[in-house]
PDB file of all heavy atoms in Angstrom:
ATOM      1  N   PRO L 603      81.375 107.935 106.868  1.00  0.00           N
ATOM      2  CA  PRO L 603      82.731 107.422 106.972  1.00  0.00           C
ATOM      3  C   PRO L 603      82.825 105.972 107.327  1.00  0.00           C
ATOM      4  O   PRO L 603      83.859 105.351 107.290  1.00  0.00           O
ATOM      5  CB  PRO L 603      83.353 108.318 108.091  1.00  0.00           C
ATOM      6  CG  PRO L 603      82.184 108.764 108.862  1.00  0.00           C
ATOM      7  CD  PRO L 603      81.001 108.927 107.889  1.00  0.00           C
ATOM      8  N   ILE L 626      93.392 121.955 102.223  1.00  0.00           N
ATOM      9  CA  ILE L 626      92.610 120.879 102.851  1.00  0.00           C
ATOM     10  C   ILE L 626      92.053 121.257 104.088  1.00  0.00           C
ATOM     11  O   ILE L 626      90.896 121.061 104.475  1.00  0.00           O
ATOM     12  CB  ILE L 626      93.433 119.534 102.860  1.00  0.00           C
ATOM     13  CG1 ILE L 626      93.886 119.064 101.482  1.00  0.00           C
ATOM     14  CG2 ILE L 626      92.620 118.518 103.579  1.00  0.00           C
ATOM     15  CD1 ILE L 626      92.723 118.642 100.550  1.00  0.00           C
ATOM     16  N   VAL L 627      92.967 121.856 104.944  1.00  0.00           N
ATOM     17  CA  VAL L 627      92.559 122.239 106.333  1.00  0.00           C
ATOM     18  C   VAL L 627      91.500 123.297 106.308  1.00  0.00           C
ATOM     19  O   VAL L 627      90.514 123.286 107.025  1.00  0.00           O
ATOM     20  CB  VAL L 627      93.794 122.708 107.145  1.00  0.00           C
ATOM     21  CG1 VAL L 627      93.377 123.425 108.433  1.00  0.00           C
ATOM     22  CG2 VAL L 627      94.636 121.548 107.449  1.00  0.00           C
ATOM     23  N   LEU L 630      88.266 121.644 105.647  1.00  0.00           N
ATOM     24  CA  LEU L 630      87.851 120.757 106.698  1.00  0.00           C
ATOM     25  C   LEU L 630      87.354 121.599 107.931  1.00  0.00           C
ATOM     26  O   LEU L 630      86.309 121.181 108.580  1.00  0.00           O
ATOM     27  CB  LEU L 630      88.961 119.852 107.129  1.00  0.00           C
ATOM     28  CG  LEU L 630      89.394 118.673 106.285  1.00  0.00           C
ATOM     29  CD1 LEU L 630      90.631 118.068 106.737  1.00  0.00           C
ATOM     30  CD2 LEU L 630      88.189 117.688 106.283  1.00  0.00           C
ATOM     31  N   MET L 634      83.933 120.857 110.839  1.00  0.00           N
ATOM     32  CA  MET L 634      84.216 120.136 112.053  1.00  0.00           C
ATOM     33  C   MET L 634      83.560 120.818 113.283  1.00  0.00           C
ATOM     34  O   MET L 634      83.647 120.220 114.390  1.00  0.00           O
ATOM     35  CB  MET L 634      85.732 119.967 112.236  1.00  0.00           C
ATOM     36  CG  MET L 634      86.303 119.091 111.142  1.00  0.00           C
ATOM     37  SD  MET L 634      88.171 118.915 111.261  1.00  0.00           S
ATOM     38  CE  MET L 634      88.298 118.022 112.741  1.00  0.00           C
ATOM     39  N   LYS L 637      85.214 120.861 116.867  1.00  0.00           N
ATOM     40  CA  LYS L 637      85.498 119.609 117.557  1.00  0.00           C
ATOM     41  C   LYS L 637      86.765 118.918 116.867  1.00  0.00           C
ATOM     42  O   LYS L 637      86.842 118.928 115.624  1.00  0.00           O
ATOM     43  CB  LYS L 637      84.351 118.712 117.537  1.00  0.00           C
ATOM     44  CG  LYS L 637      83.140 119.302 118.282  1.00  0.00           C
ATOM     45  CD  LYS L 637      81.936 118.385 118.176  1.00  0.00           C
ATOM     46  CE  LYS L 637      80.698 118.921 118.819  1.00  0.00           C
ATOM     47  NZ  LYS L 637      79.491 118.077 118.730  1.00  0.00           N
ATOM     48  N   ASP L 638      87.544 118.250 117.707  1.00  0.00           N
ATOM     49  CA  ASP L 638      88.656 117.451 117.216  1.00  0.00           C
ATOM     50  C   ASP L 638      89.620 118.222 116.322  1.00  0.00           C
ATOM     51  O   ASP L 638      90.230 117.700 115.362  1.00  0.00           O
ATOM     52  CB  ASP L 638      88.226 116.224 116.440  1.00  0.00           C
ATOM     53  CG  ASP L 638      87.801 115.094 117.411  1.00  0.00           C
ATOM     54  OD1 ASP L 638      87.872 115.301 118.603  1.00  0.00           O
ATOM     55  OD2 ASP L 638      87.447 114.023 116.887  1.00  0.00           O
ATOM     56  N   LEU L 639      89.755 119.550 116.580  1.00  0.00           N
ATOM     57  CA  LEU L 639      90.558 120.391 115.637  1.00  0.00           C
ATOM     58  C   LEU L 639      92.040 120.047 115.723  1.00  0.00           C
ATOM     59  O   LEU L 639      92.818 120.395 114.797  1.00  0.00           O
ATOM     60  CB  LEU L 639      90.383 121.850 116.005  1.00  0.00           C
ATOM     61  CG  LEU L 639      88.938 122.429 115.801  1.00  0.00           C
ATOM     62  CD1 LEU L 639      88.832 123.945 116.135  1.00  0.00           C
ATOM     63  CD2 LEU L 639      88.432 122.167 114.338  1.00  0.00           C
ATOM     64  N   GLU L 640      92.409 119.404 116.748  1.00  0.00           N
ATOM     65  CA  GLU L 640      93.908 118.982 116.902  1.00  0.00           C
ATOM     66  C   GLU L 640      94.172 117.967 115.712  1.00  0.00           C
ATOM     67  O   GLU L 640      95.381 117.795 115.342  1.00  0.00           O
ATOM     68  CB  GLU L 640      94.147 118.298 118.199  1.00  0.00           C
ATOM     69  CG  GLU L 640      93.488 116.979 118.482  1.00  0.00           C
ATOM     70  CD  GLU L 640      92.113 117.124 118.993  1.00  0.00           C
ATOM     71  OE1 GLU L 640      91.551 118.210 118.973  1.00  0.00           O
ATOM     72  OE2 GLU L 640      91.579 116.059 119.395  1.00  0.00           O
ATOM     73  N   LYS L 641      93.151 117.391 115.144  1.00  0.00           N
ATOM     74  CA  LYS L 641      93.419 116.382 114.032  1.00  0.00           C
ATOM     75  C   LYS L 641      93.868 117.088 112.792  1.00  0.00           C
ATOM     76  O   LYS L 641      94.516 116.530 111.934  1.00  0.00           O
ATOM     77  CB  LYS L 641      92.096 115.585 113.719  1.00  0.00           C
ATOM     78  CG  LYS L 641      91.595 114.738 114.931  1.00  0.00           C
ATOM     79  CD  LYS L 641      92.655 113.750 115.375  1.00  0.00           C
ATOM     80  CE  LYS L 641      92.239 112.918 116.543  1.00  0.00           C
ATOM     81  NZ  LYS L 641      93.198 111.958 116.976  1.00  0.00           N
ATOM     82  N   LEU L 642      93.496 118.454 112.694  1.00  0.00           N
ATOM     83  CA  LEU L 642      94.001 119.234 111.503  1.00  0.00           C
ATOM     84  C   LEU L 642      95.520 119.373 111.598  1.00  0.00           C
ATOM     85  O   LEU L 642      96.177 119.336 110.604  1.00  0.00           O
ATOM     86  CB  LEU L 642      93.272 120.574 111.506  1.00  0.00           C
ATOM     87  CG  LEU L 642      91.793 120.483 111.351  1.00  0.00           C
ATOM     88  CD1 LEU L 642      91.207 121.917 111.503  1.00  0.00           C
ATOM     89  CD2 LEU L 642      91.336 119.806 110.037  1.00  0.00           C
ATOM     90  N   GLU L 643      96.002 119.580 112.804  1.00  0.00           N
ATOM     91  CA  GLU L 643      97.444 119.682 112.952  1.00  0.00           C
ATOM     92  C   GLU L 643      98.076 118.338 112.723  1.00  0.00           C
ATOM     93  O   GLU L 643      99.214 118.309 112.163  1.00  0.00           O
ATOM     94  CB  GLU L 643      97.759 120.150 114.360  1.00  0.00           C
ATOM     95  CG  GLU L 643      97.351 121.559 114.703  1.00  0.00           C
ATOM     96  CD  GLU L 643      97.858 122.580 113.670  1.00  0.00           C
ATOM     97  OE1 GLU L 643      99.058 122.545 113.326  1.00  0.00           O
ATOM     98  OE2 GLU L 643      97.064 123.410 113.191  1.00  0.00           O
ATOM     99  N   GLU L 644      97.508 117.261 113.125  1.00  0.00           N
ATOM    100  CA  GLU L 644      98.019 115.878 112.839  1.00  0.00           C
ATOM    101  C   GLU L 644      98.096 115.721 111.316  1.00  0.00           C
ATOM    102  O   GLU L 644      99.042 115.213 110.806  1.00  0.00           O
ATOM    103  CB  GLU L 644      97.086 114.807 113.436  1.00  0.00           C
ATOM    104  CG  GLU L 644      97.248 114.647 114.880  1.00  0.00           C
ATOM    105  CD  GLU L 644      96.452 113.436 115.411  1.00  0.00           C
ATOM    106  OE1 GLU L 644      96.289 112.537 114.578  1.00  0.00           O
ATOM    107  OE2 GLU L 644      95.901 113.525 116.526  1.00  0.00           O
ATOM    108  N   PHE L 645      97.046 116.135 110.588  1.00  0.00           N
ATOM    109  CA  PHE L 645      97.088 116.013 109.111  1.00  0.00           C
ATOM    110  C   PHE L 645      98.236 116.758 108.491  1.00  0.00           C
ATOM    111  O   PHE L 645      98.914 116.304 107.665  1.00  0.00           O
ATOM    112  CB  PHE L 645      95.729 116.432 108.556  1.00  0.00           C
ATOM    113  CG  PHE L 645      95.723 116.436 107.024  1.00  0.00           C
ATOM    114  CD1 PHE L 645      95.570 115.259 106.337  1.00  0.00           C
ATOM    115  CD2 PHE L 645      95.822 117.625 106.303  1.00  0.00           C
ATOM    116  CE1 PHE L 645      95.577 115.194 104.940  1.00  0.00           C
ATOM    117  CE2 PHE L 645      95.781 117.527 104.970  1.00  0.00           C
ATOM    118  CZ  PHE L 645      95.709 116.371 104.265  1.00  0.00           C
ATOM    119  N   MET L 648     101.578 115.237 108.907  1.00  0.00           N
ATOM    120  CA  MET L 648     101.737 114.017 108.127  1.00  0.00           C
ATOM    121  C   MET L 648     102.358 114.300 106.715  1.00  0.00           C
ATOM    122  O   MET L 648     102.815 113.346 106.085  1.00  0.00           O
ATOM    123  CB  MET L 648     100.522 113.219 107.980  1.00  0.00           C
ATOM    124  CG  MET L 648      99.977 112.605 109.289  1.00  0.00           C
ATOM    125  SD  MET L 648      98.283 112.029 109.206  1.00  0.00           S
ATOM    126  CE  MET L 648      98.335 110.816 107.895  1.00  0.00           C
ATOM    127  N   MET L 662      93.890 108.853 100.280  1.00  0.00           N
ATOM    128  CA  MET L 662      93.156 108.803 101.509  1.00  0.00           C
ATOM    129  C   MET L 662      92.133 107.723 101.472  1.00  0.00           C
ATOM    130  O   MET L 662      91.336 107.631 100.566  1.00  0.00           O
ATOM    131  CB  MET L 662      92.414 110.154 101.787  1.00  0.00           C
ATOM    132  CG  MET L 662      93.225 111.389 101.679  1.00  0.00           C
ATOM    133  SD  MET L 662      92.179 112.808 101.792  1.00  0.00           S
ATOM    134  CE  MET L 662      93.260 114.130 101.057  1.00  0.00           C
ATOM    135  N   ILE L 664      89.180 106.061 103.699  1.00  0.00           N
ATOM    136  CA  ILE L 664      88.341 106.236 104.922  1.00  0.00           C
ATOM    137  C   ILE L 664      87.477 104.990 105.136  1.00  0.00           C
ATOM    138  O   ILE L 664      86.830 104.476 104.164  1.00  0.00           O
ATOM    139  CB  ILE L 664      87.346 107.504 104.656  1.00  0.00           C
ATOM    140  CG1 ILE L 664      88.190 108.745 104.507  1.00  0.00           C
ATOM    141  CG2 ILE L 664      86.356 107.588 105.848  1.00  0.00           C
ATOM    142  CD1 ILE L 664      87.459 109.948 104.044  1.00  0.00           C
ATOM    143  N   ASP L 668      85.699 105.940 111.666  1.00  0.00           N
ATOM    144  CA  ASP L 668      86.550 106.918 112.288  1.00  0.00           C
ATOM    145  C   ASP L 668      88.046 106.783 111.990  1.00  0.00           C
ATOM    146  O   ASP L 668      88.903 107.318 112.700  1.00  0.00           O
ATOM    147  CB  ASP L 668      86.366 106.823 113.792  1.00  0.00           C
ATOM    148  CG  ASP L 668      86.838 105.477 114.391  1.00  0.00           C
ATOM    149  OD1 ASP L 668      87.124 104.582 113.545  1.00  0.00           O
ATOM    150  OD2 ASP L 668      86.889 105.332 115.629  1.00  0.00           O
ATOM    151  N   VAL L 669      88.333 106.149 110.877  1.00  0.00           N
ATOM    152  CA  VAL L 669      89.717 105.881 110.444  1.00  0.00           C
ATOM    153  C   VAL L 669      90.022 106.479 109.104  1.00  0.00           C
ATOM    154  O   VAL L 669      89.261 106.163 108.089  1.00  0.00           O
ATOM    155  CB  VAL L 669      90.085 104.455 110.461  1.00  0.00           C
ATOM    156  CG1 VAL L 669      91.531 104.264 109.933  1.00  0.00           C
ATOM    157  CG2 VAL L 669      90.039 103.913 111.936  1.00  0.00           C
ATOM    158  N   MET L 670      91.029 107.294 108.973  1.00  0.00           N
ATOM    159  CA  MET L 670      91.516 107.708 107.638  1.00  0.00           C
ATOM    160  C   MET L 670      92.964 107.239 107.513  1.00  0.00           C
ATOM    161  O   MET L 670      93.806 107.740 108.281  1.00  0.00           O
ATOM    162  CB  MET L 670      91.386 109.216 107.377  1.00  0.00           C
ATOM    163  CG  MET L 670      91.753 109.544 105.891  1.00  0.00           C
ATOM    164  SD  MET L 670      91.947 111.298 105.548  1.00  0.00           S
ATOM    165  CE  MET L 670      93.609 111.606 106.035  1.00  0.00           C
ATOM    166  N   ILE L 682      94.757 108.789 110.866  1.00  0.00           N
ATOM    167  CA  ILE L 682      94.071 109.698 111.729  1.00  0.00           C
ATOM    168  C   ILE L 682      92.817 109.007 112.204  1.00  0.00           C
ATOM    169  O   ILE L 682      92.015 108.461 111.314  1.00  0.00           O
ATOM    170  CB  ILE L 682      93.706 110.999 110.971  1.00  0.00           C
ATOM    171  CG1 ILE L 682      94.994 111.789 110.732  1.00  0.00           C
ATOM    172  CG2 ILE L 682      92.747 111.809 111.777  1.00  0.00           C
ATOM    173  CD1 ILE L 682      94.777 113.108 110.050  1.00  0.00           C
ATOM    174  N   ARG L 683      92.557 109.046 113.489  1.00  0.00           N
ATOM    175  CA  ARG L 683      91.362 108.426 114.054  1.00  0.00           C
ATOM    176  C   ARG L 683      90.431 109.517 114.614  1.00  0.00           C
ATOM    177  O   ARG L 683      90.764 110.079 115.685  1.00  0.00           O
ATOM    178  CB  ARG L 683      91.838 107.400 115.152  1.00  0.00           C
ATOM    179  CG  ARG L 683      92.659 106.270 114.639  1.00  0.00           C
ATOM    180  CD  ARG L 683      92.989 105.270 115.737  1.00  0.00           C
ATOM    181  NE  ARG L 683      93.844 104.219 115.290  1.00  0.00           N
ATOM    182  CZ  ARG L 683      93.481 103.122 114.663  1.00  0.00           C
ATOM    183  NH1 ARG L 683      92.134 102.898 114.433  1.00  0.00           N
ATOM    184  NH2 ARG L 683      94.332 102.226 114.284  1.00  0.00           N
ATOM    185  N   SER L 684      89.371 109.727 113.971  1.00  0.00           N
ATOM    186  CA  SER L 684      88.384 110.699 114.379  1.00  0.00           C
ATOM    187  C   SER L 684      87.119 110.653 113.484  1.00  0.00           C
ATOM    188  O   SER L 684      87.290 110.807 112.324  1.00  0.00           O
ATOM    189  CB  SER L 684      88.947 112.119 114.386  1.00  0.00           C
ATOM    190  OG  SER L 684      87.952 113.025 114.493  1.00  0.00           O
ATOM    191  N   GLU L 685      86.053 110.350 114.079  1.00  0.00           N
ATOM    192  CA  GLU L 685      84.785 110.288 113.305  1.00  0.00           C
ATOM    193  C   GLU L 685      84.510 111.689 112.713  1.00  0.00           C
ATOM    194  O   GLU L 685      84.083 111.835 111.561  1.00  0.00           O
ATOM    195  CB  GLU L 685      83.650 109.784 114.071  1.00  0.00           C
ATOM    196  CG  GLU L 685      82.326 109.722 113.268  1.00  0.00           C
ATOM    197  CD  GLU L 685      81.150 109.302 114.123  1.00  0.00           C
ATOM    198  OE1 GLU L 685      81.310 108.895 115.326  1.00  0.00           O
ATOM    199  OE2 GLU L 685      79.979 109.338 113.571  1.00  0.00           O
ATOM    200  N   ILE L 686      84.748 112.691 113.528  1.00  0.00           N
ATOM    201  CA  ILE L 686      84.425 114.051 113.087  1.00  0.00           C
ATOM    202  C   ILE L 686      85.305 114.429 111.883  1.00  0.00           C
ATOM    203  O   ILE L 686      84.837 115.004 110.890  1.00  0.00           O
ATOM    204  CB  ILE L 686      84.650 114.994 114.258  1.00  0.00           C
ATOM    205  CG1 ILE L 686      83.579 114.805 115.296  1.00  0.00           C
ATOM    206  CG2 ILE L 686      84.619 116.459 113.808  1.00  0.00           C
ATOM    207  CD1 ILE L 686      83.726 115.523 116.594  1.00  0.00           C
ATOM    208  N   PHE L 687      86.609 114.124 111.995  1.00  0.00           N
ATOM    209  CA  PHE L 687      87.534 114.477 110.911  1.00  0.00           C
ATOM    210  C   PHE L 687      87.143 113.673 109.620  1.00  0.00           C
ATOM    211  O   PHE L 687      87.113 114.273 108.578  1.00  0.00           O
ATOM    212  CB  PHE L 687      88.910 114.047 111.317  1.00  0.00           C
ATOM    213  CG  PHE L 687      89.989 114.286 110.306  1.00  0.00           C
ATOM    214  CD1 PHE L 687      90.666 115.513 110.228  1.00  0.00           C
ATOM    215  CD2 PHE L 687      90.286 113.374 109.332  1.00  0.00           C
ATOM    216  CE1 PHE L 687      91.662 115.773 109.284  1.00  0.00           C
ATOM    217  CE2 PHE L 687      91.248 113.597 108.316  1.00  0.00           C
ATOM    218  CZ  PHE L 687      91.984 114.803 108.313  1.00  0.00           C
ATOM    219  N   CYS L 688      86.860 112.415 109.761  1.00  0.00           N
ATOM    220  CA  CYS L 688      86.540 111.561 108.610  1.00  0.00           C
ATOM    221  C   CYS L 688      85.207 112.021 107.940  1.00  0.00           C
ATOM    222  O   CYS L 688      85.106 112.015 106.745  1.00  0.00           O
ATOM    223  CB  CYS L 688      86.483 110.055 109.033  1.00  0.00           C
ATOM    224  SG  CYS L 688      88.114 109.380 109.447  1.00  0.00           S
ATOM    225  N   ARG L 689      84.246 112.310 108.801  1.00  0.00           N
ATOM    226  CA  ARG L 689      82.940 112.758 108.241  1.00  0.00           C
ATOM    227  C   ARG L 689      83.156 114.142 107.495  1.00  0.00           C
ATOM    228  O   ARG L 689      82.556 114.371 106.438  1.00  0.00           O
ATOM    229  CB  ARG L 689      81.960 112.871 109.347  1.00  0.00           C
ATOM    230  CG  ARG L 689      80.502 113.059 108.901  1.00  0.00           C
ATOM    231  CD  ARG L 689      79.481 113.023 110.022  1.00  0.00           C
ATOM    232  NE  ARG L 689      79.471 111.610 110.595  1.00  0.00           N
ATOM    233  CZ  ARG L 689      78.810 110.610 110.108  1.00  0.00           C
ATOM    234  NH1 ARG L 689      78.169 110.739 108.971  1.00  0.00           N
ATOM    235  NH2 ARG L 689      78.831 109.467 110.705  1.00  0.00           N
ATOM    236  N   ALA L 690      83.969 114.992 108.096  1.00  0.00           N
ATOM    237  CA  ALA L 690      84.235 116.265 107.439  1.00  0.00           C
ATOM    238  C   ALA L 690      84.937 116.035 106.113  1.00  0.00           C
ATOM    239  O   ALA L 690      84.689 116.738 105.092  1.00  0.00           O
ATOM    240  CB  ALA L 690      85.014 117.142 108.325  1.00  0.00           C
ATOM    241  N   MET L 691      85.897 115.118 106.079  1.00  0.00           N
ATOM    242  CA  MET L 691      86.663 114.836 104.803  1.00  0.00           C
ATOM    243  C   MET L 691      85.613 114.302 103.722  1.00  0.00           C
ATOM    244  O   MET L 691      85.718 114.692 102.566  1.00  0.00           O
ATOM    245  CB  MET L 691      87.716 113.827 104.991  1.00  0.00           C
ATOM    246  CG  MET L 691      88.649 113.655 103.851  1.00  0.00           C
ATOM    247  SD  MET L 691      89.628 115.158 103.394  1.00  0.00           S
ATOM    248  CE  MET L 691      90.928 115.021 104.616  1.00  0.00           C
ATOM    249  N   CYS L 692      84.697 113.455 104.124  1.00  0.00           N
ATOM    250  CA  CYS L 692      83.645 113.038 103.178  1.00  0.00           C
ATOM    251  C   CYS L 692      82.875 114.142 102.605  1.00  0.00           C
ATOM    252  O   CYS L 692      82.552 114.254 101.465  1.00  0.00           O
ATOM    253  CB  CYS L 692      82.778 112.028 103.834  1.00  0.00           C
ATOM    254  SG  CYS L 692      83.518 110.397 104.228  1.00  0.00           S
ATOM    255  N   ASP L 693      82.501 115.056 103.542  1.00  0.00           N
ATOM    256  CA  ASP L 693      81.753 116.253 103.096  1.00  0.00           C
ATOM    257  C   ASP L 693      82.531 117.161 102.196  1.00  0.00           C
ATOM    258  O   ASP L 693      81.940 117.756 101.269  1.00  0.00           O
ATOM    259  CB  ASP L 693      81.277 117.030 104.277  1.00  0.00           C
ATOM    260  CG  ASP L 693      80.161 118.110 103.965  1.00  0.00           C
ATOM    261  OD1 ASP L 693      79.044 117.674 103.732  1.00  0.00           O
ATOM    262  OD2 ASP L 693      80.535 119.252 103.942  1.00  0.00           O
ATOM    263  N   VAL L 694      83.880 117.267 102.349  1.00  0.00           N
ATOM    264  CA  VAL L 694      84.674 118.106 101.429  1.00  0.00           C
ATOM    265  C   VAL L 694      84.545 117.609 100.033  1.00  0.00           C
ATOM    266  O   VAL L 694      84.489 118.416  99.128  1.00  0.00           O
ATOM    267  CB  VAL L 694      86.165 117.981 101.972  1.00  0.00           C
ATOM    268  CG1 VAL L 694      87.063 118.555 100.811  1.00  0.00           C
ATOM    269  CG2 VAL L 694      86.344 118.778 103.246  1.00  0.00           C
TER     270      VAL L 694
END
Side-chain angles (χ1 to χ4, degrees):
I626 296 291
V627 167
L630 285 170
M634 295 174 68
K637 299 177 181 178
D638 279 4
L639 295 182
E640 69 276 8
K641 299 300 179 180
L642 298 177
E643 295 305 314
E644 284 186 31
F645 176 76
M648 289 165 63
M662 310 173 195
I664 298 170
D668 63 352
V669 173
M670 187 190 83
I682 290 180
R683 298 182 183 276
S684 165
E685 180 182 355
I686 291 169
F687 179 93
C688 292
R689 193 172 294 278
M691 188 67 80
C692 289
D693 193 73
V694 166

